[in-house]
Amino acid sequence: MVLLRTLVLLLALVVSDLHSLPWFINVSESQGPGTILQSFSFNCSSHTPTLELLHVQPPTTFFNPPSLTRWQGIYVGKMTLSSSARLDALTVNHYELQLRFTCGNHVMEGPLSVDVQRDPGHIQCASRFASPAGEIIQVPETVKPGARLYTLLLPGQGAQISITSAQDPPYFPGPFSINGQGWLQAPSQGLKGQAQKVFQLQILVNFGQGRSCCGMLTVKVLPAPSSQVSFLQQAQNITIPENLVPGSKVVQVQARGFDVRYEILSPVPCRLFSIGRVDGVVRTTSPLELAQAPDAAVTRLRVKAFERLWPWASAELDFKVDVQSVNRWPPRCTPALLATQIPETTPVGTVLNTFTCTDPDSPGSTLDYQLLFHSPAGAASLCLQDRVLEVNATLDCDTPGACFHHAASILVLDGGQPLMTTEVPVLVMVTPVNEFSPACVPRTFRVREDAGPHALLGSVVGKDMDYPHDSIEYSIPGGSATFAVDRLSGEVRLLEPLDYELQKFHRLTVLLTDHSQDQDPTCHRSGSCTITIEVEDVNDHAPECEPPFQELTIHTHLGRSMEVTRVSCRVPQEPQRLAFSYSIVGGNSWSQFSLQGAVLVLNDLTLGPSWPEQPHTYELLIRVADAGPSTPHLSTTATVIVHLVPWRASTVATSTHRATVTSMMTPLLVTDMEAFWQPEPWFVVVLTVTSALLLLALGWLLSRLLWGLAQVLQVPSKPTQALLLNSIQGTEGSVEGFMEAPRMETPQALSSVMSLHFDGRAQDPRTGRDYLFNTHTGARRWL
């Protein structure tokens, strides 16, 4: 729309300029009344226009007032010849008509120049000669015999002219004669003594092929003048400009005499000048355009002044008229308007147009061309080399406001006086070209694995060097069930849940396609980049302990802490997660147990109220929670059933063969034989090693028997080994004490042990795990 409005504005300016210039038309002298000379078309939609003929120079009634009619929304004006029109190129060959067109408040005026052209095929005698009254001439009686009295203007060559009327004496002193050039000559006897006589001559002009005309010529003979005619001024040279309109005054000649009249003797016919018969004013009769008529530069005129009553009393004056060239018309250029469209990739030096301008006042003269910028001002994108308009710099549409139009004009100067110029409007539209492909920088987005659907992960920011820079559409080639990218904003969103344990990284290819960056709407460029989506681990799996249920039997003794068991927990879905926190949340009523990391420890007991005298069972609930940086912290509970069997100790008197045994706590060896126990392979290895150590320790104990009872060996780390080693050490280190122990305590201790015997096996219906049970107490042990 911007281009269309600009073109309309420029066209309106051009049309306005054309209406201000004159129109030239040529019409043949053979054209008669009603002939259409010129048609005009006007556009006036909001008012009723008018077209007027202001005046005609020289004055005549040959032209009708212009008509104005409406046809298909356009007003058409016409100029026609009137019913009295009798065009004669020999009499007047140029008319100047001034026209005015009015449309509301808009008024335009302009001249219409009508040149009357000779028509060799049109036969027409001079108007006065061919009129019914004929031509009347006056000659003095002193005219010389055979002198030229009158010249008949003929429309063509080769005509036969004759006098058809009678010239009988005595009225006629002799016959008048006329030659082929139309010269009427006096009788050979002269006209002396014929004053006051009137001779009527009927003249026939025959052009052949049946074409002829006739007219009347009346010759009045005047008496000899009583005074002498003379010009007041001498011969002179007159200089006039060529821009004088027809009818302009050139010079006025004055002669001394009575009732003087003036006429031009040479050249005959005079095409450029005429003289007032009474006032002697020499005027122009046609345009003096040297470009069209170079012979009008110099004209030598011979003017005759004579008395009206005595035409033979006359005088002649010669003078020269020089026509000086005047710079009237501005240069005319082709094209008069340049509107073009080029892509922004047009190479430097590309020719947009070559202007051809001429000067009507001086064809072939050198013209000066200048390039003027209007918008943007001072632009260097275009240049003018002589008459050639070229691309001067790289056109760029990739910056805001750059890819619009370049409005300029070509100013053409002719160098005349006064200086005349023509301005050719130039409008160059630069269209965008999709030169660059969009691109984006690979990015990494981090997202928690518990992010919900439609969660915003981040935005892909594409860049395109073409303007406008944000005309990019985003898509995922082939689609994705997990992720989606917004077509316009490039936002990447989540469609379905993520699982850190299944896939930690997702690589997504995003396709970028540009649009609206080329004159051709179907021209697109595309690019792509890879987006890495890193899934952040979220603690969504609770630890699992193996086994989740433990049942142990522990034999305790005073003054010693011992390891009960180790809680083994892990997260199967996240093997790398190894940090856990442990706490006893139930069953530790006497605070007899504590945790050292994952190890359940029976605290050091002393003889007191809390010392269990009978076997006791504790059902401990151990809470295991992950202790890593991930949130939230999930936990599970492991169940450990501990059957605590206390050791018995007593003070007895030794036999007569031994000293009193110092009262001390000696461990009681309890062997629990289970029919369904199957040792692990590693336990066999440990048992073998332990047996070897036991033999070594037995030998050492026998060697140390003379020096006293040694301290019990250090307890190993594992509970099973501790029980076994303690049992062996108790057997070897306190044989005598054991043998001397009262027999009545042994059945009670054995009954407590037998109460822990498992005599049945079953499978848990919920978990499917096998376990052993005691039919008397209902105690269970998981396998």
Side-chain angles (χ1 to χ4, degrees):
M1 290 301 295
V2 176
L3 176 60
L4 180 60
R5 292 176 182 173
T6 309
L7 290 176
V8 170
L9 177 60
L10 295 176
L11 184 59
L13 294 175
V14 173
V15 171
S16 299
D17 291 341
L18 291 176
H19 280 297
S20 66
L21 297 177
W23 294 309
F24 295 90
I25 61 172
N26 297 323
V27 60
S28 174
E29 63 181 355
S30 62
Q31 299 297 325
T35 302
I36 299 176
L37 301 178
Q38 180 73 15
S39 296
F40 314 92
S41 60
F42 303 96
N43 187 6
C44 183
S45 58
S46 57
H47 300 85
T48 301
T50 59
L51 183 61
E52 306 172 78
L53 176 60
L54 300 181
H55 58 79
V56 181
Q57 188 69 30
T60 182
T61 60
F62 290 174
F63 303 97
N64 287 324
S67 63
L68 189 63
T69 59
R70 186 171 183 175
W71 180 76
Q72 295 184 355
I74 299 177
Y75 288 91
V76 179
K78 296 180 181 180
M79 285 296 305
T80 58
L81 293 177
S82 65
S83 58
S84 63
R86 298 291 186 271
L87 300 179
D88 187 358
L90 296 180
T91 303
V92 179
N93 61 1
H94 181 82
Y95 295 94
E96 192 85 14
L97 286 70
Q98 188 70 19
L99 301 177
R100 176 190 292 166
F101 174 74
T102 304
C103 177
N105 296 329
H106 183 63
V107 179
M108 291 187 300
E109 290 188 10
L112 175 63
S113 299
V114 180
D115 289 331
V116 182
Q117 304 292 326
R118 290 289 306 274
D119 186 0
H122 178 68
I123 304 301
Q124 181 178 345
C125 294
S127 58
R128 289 188 179 183
F129 171 75
S131 65
E135 182 76 36
I136 300 176
I137 64 174
Q138 296 175 348
V139 298
E141 62 177 349
T142 58
V143 68
K144 296 179 181 180
R148 184 172 63 177
L149 305 179
Y150 178 78
T151 301
L152 179 63
L153 299 179
L154 301 176
Q157 301 291 334
Q160 296 181 359
I161 308 173
S162 61
I163 301 176
T164 59
S165 59
Q167 302 184 60
D168 298 332
Y171 189 78
F172 281 85
F176 290 85
S177 62
I178 187 169
N179 60 15
Q181 297 179 352
W183 293 356
L184 178 65
Q185 297 174 335
S188 59
Q189 295 82 4
L191 297 176
K192 193 67 175 178
Q194 304 296 322
Q196 306 300 330
K197 283 189 175 182
V198 177
F199 302 98
Q200 290 186 344
L201 303 176
Q202 191 74 28
I203 300 176
L204 175 64
V205 181
N206 191 353
F207 298 96
Q209 299 180 356
R211 297 178 301 170
S212 63
C213 66
C214 61
M216 179 68 69
L217 184 61
T218 301
V219 180
K220 291 182 178 182
V221 181
L222 301 177
S226 58
S227 62
Q228 189 71 24
V229 178
S230 63
F231 284 96
L232 299 179
Q233 63 266 45
Q234 301 298 321
Q236 57 182 335
N237 295 333
I238 301 172
T239 301
I240 59 175
E242 68 170 341
N243 59 348
L244 290 180
V245 299
S248 299
K249 179 180 177 180
V250 177
V251 68
Q252 183 177 13
V253 295
Q254 293 180 342
R256 185 183 296 108
F258 178 76
D259 198 8
V260 178
R261 299 291 185 265
Y262 302 93
E263 67 178 4
I264 296 178
L265 296 181
S266 176
V268 177
C270 187
R271 181 175 59 86
L272 301 177
F273 304 97
S274 65
I275 190 170
R277 189 173 180 83
V278 177
D279 57 7
V281 176
V282 179
R283 299 180 183 275
T284 59
T285 58
S286 64
L288 305 176
E289 295 184 5
L290 298 181
Q292 299 180 3
D295 57 342
V298 178
T299 303
R300 298 183 182 275
L301 295 177
R302 175 174 291 182
V303 178
K304 175 184 177 181
F306 59 92
E307 293 183 355
R308 183 178 66 85
L309 298 178
W310 299 276
W312 56 87
S314 62
E316 297 180 356
L317 176 65
D318 293 328
F319 60 91
K320 183 176 68 171
V321 179
D322 294 327
V323 179
Q324 186 178 17
S325 177
V326 176
N327 198 20
R328 293 187 300 156
W329 309 112
R332 297 177 181 176
C333 298
T334 302
L337 166 69
L338 176 61
T340 185
Q341 181 174 286
I342 59 175
E344 64 171 323
T345 55
T346 302
V348 176
T350 300
V351 176
L352 301 181
N353 201 286
T354 300
F355 295 90
T356 302
C357 301
T358 58
D359 187 1
D361 298 310
S362 179
S365 61
T366 302
L367 303 177
D368 184 27
Y369 298 83
Q370 297 179 6
L371 178 60
L372 304 179
F373 286 98
H374 302 311
S375 65
S381 301
L382 307 176
C383 67
L384 188 66
Q385 301 289 344
D386 192 12
R387 299 180 297 113
V388 180
L389 183 64
E390 299 178 352
V391 176
N392 186 49
T394 301
L395 304 174
D396 187 11
C397 289
D398 300 326
T399 55
C403 193
F404 291 102
H405 66 271
H406 296 269
S409 59
I410 306 297
L411 185 65
V412 185
L413 304 92
D414 59 5
Q417 293 296 331
L419 183 67
M420 303 295 289
T421 62
T422 294
E423 191 168 341
V424 180
V426 175
L427 180 64
V428 179
M429 290 294 298
V430 181
T431 59
V433 176
N434 195 359
E435 303 177 81
F436 305 99
S437 298
C440 61
V441 179
R443 298 187 60 186
T444 299
F445 300 143
R446 291 179 174 84
V447 58
R448 291 168 55 92
E449 67 173 328
D450 60 347
H454 308 291
L456 177 62
L457 307 185
S459 297
V460 180
V461 180
K463 294 185 178 180
D464 195 340
M465 297 178 63
D466 292 307
Y467 184 82
H469 303 299
D470 56 351
S471 298
I472 299 176
E473 293 184 357
Y474 303 86
S475 62
I476 300 177
S480 174
T482 309
F483 305 98
V485 61
D486 188 270
R487 184 175 64 90
L488 298 179
S489 65
E491 293 181 349
V492 180
R493 294 185 178 272
L494 183 64
L495 295 181
E496 61 181 18
L498 300 175
D499 193 341
Y500 174 84
E501 288 72 31
L502 295 179
Q503 188 171 354
K504 299 179 181 179
F505 296 94
H506 296 266
R507 286 177 174 79
L508 189 66
T509 299
V510 178
L511 179 65
L512 288 73
T513 305
D514 57 19
H515 63 89
S516 304
Q517 295 176 332
D518 194 281
Q519 185 72 6
D520 182 6
T522 63
C523 180
H524 304 284
R525 284 179 174 268
S526 61
S528 64
C529 62
T530 301
I531 303 302
T532 302
I533 300 173
E534 181 179 342
V535 182
E536 294 182 348
D537 186 21
V538 174
N539 193 12
D540 54 353
H541 298 285
E544 295 182 8
C545 296
E546 295 182 0
F549 177 85
Q550 297 186 52
E551 186 172 5
L552 304 172
T553 300
I554 300 299
H555 298 273
T556 62
H557 56 85
L558 290 176
R560 180 174 300 176
S561 298
M562 61 186 309
E563 178 180 328
V564 178
T565 185
R566 177 181 294 272
V567 181
S568 177
C569 299
R570 64 187 183 91
V571 180
Q573 296 84 355
E574 304 177 49
Q576 75 282 0
R577 194 183 299 266
L578 300 176
F580 301 102
S581 63
Y582 304 87
S583 62
I584 301 175
V585 296
N588 192 17
S589 57
W590 297 96
S591 300
Q592 293 177 318
F593 298 91
S594 64
L595 287 171
Q596 297 179 3
V599 178
L600 178 64
V601 178
L602 178 63
N603 294 329
D604 184 13
L605 296 178
T606 59
L607 187 61
S610 62
W611 171 255
E613 297 180 357
Q614 300 296 330
H616 190 74
T617 299
Y618 294 87
E619 185 174 351
L620 302 177
L621 300 179
I622 300 176
R623 180 180 179 271
V624 182
D626 47 20
S630 302
T631 57
H633 294 289
L634 303 180
S635 64
T636 188
T637 301
T639 302
V640 179
I641 298 178
V642 180
H643 300 286
L644 189 60
V645 179
W647 288 98
R648 297 288 184 174
S650 62
T651 304
V652 295
T654 59
S655 64
T656 57
H657 303 285
R658 295 176 57 101
T660 303
V661 179
T662 305
S663 177
M664 61 177 295
M665 295 297 295
T666 58
L668 177 62
L669 178 62
V670 177
T671 302
D672 187 11
M673 302 298 295
E674 296 183 6
F676 299 99
W677 178 66
Q678 295 179 356
E680 296 289 338
W682 62 269
F683 187 78
V684 176
V685 176
V686 173
L687 185 59
T688 303
V689 175
T690 304
S691 300
L693 294 176
L694 182 60
L695 294 177
L696 293 176
L698 184 58
W700 181 79
L701 287 175
L702 291 176
S703 64
R704 297 287 295 176
L705 188 59
L706 298 176
W707 291 277
L709 184 64
Q711 296 182 352
V712 182
L713 295 176
Q714 186 177 358
V715 180
S717 60
K718 292 187 178 294
T720 306
Q721 293 177 355
L723 289 175
L724 185 58
L725 291 176
N726 290 337
S727 300
I728 297 173
Q729 291 174 1
T731 303
E732 297 295 333
S734 57
V735 174
E736 293 181 359
F738 182 75
M739 295 299 295
E740 296 295 332
R743 298 299 181 182
M744 61 180 181
E745 294 182 358
T746 302
Q748 184 179 359
L750 291 177
S751 63
S752 299
V753 174
M754 292 304 295
S755 65
L756 299 179
H757 177 71
F758 298 99
D759 55 359
R761 180 170 182 167
Q763 187 179 44
D764 185 54
R766 184 174 62 86
T767 61
R769 296 185 58 181
D770 293 336
Y771 61 89
L772 303 177
F773 64 91
N774 190 305
T775 56
H776 298 285
T777 63
R780 295 183 180 183
R781 176 172 183 176
W782 295 95
L783 297 179

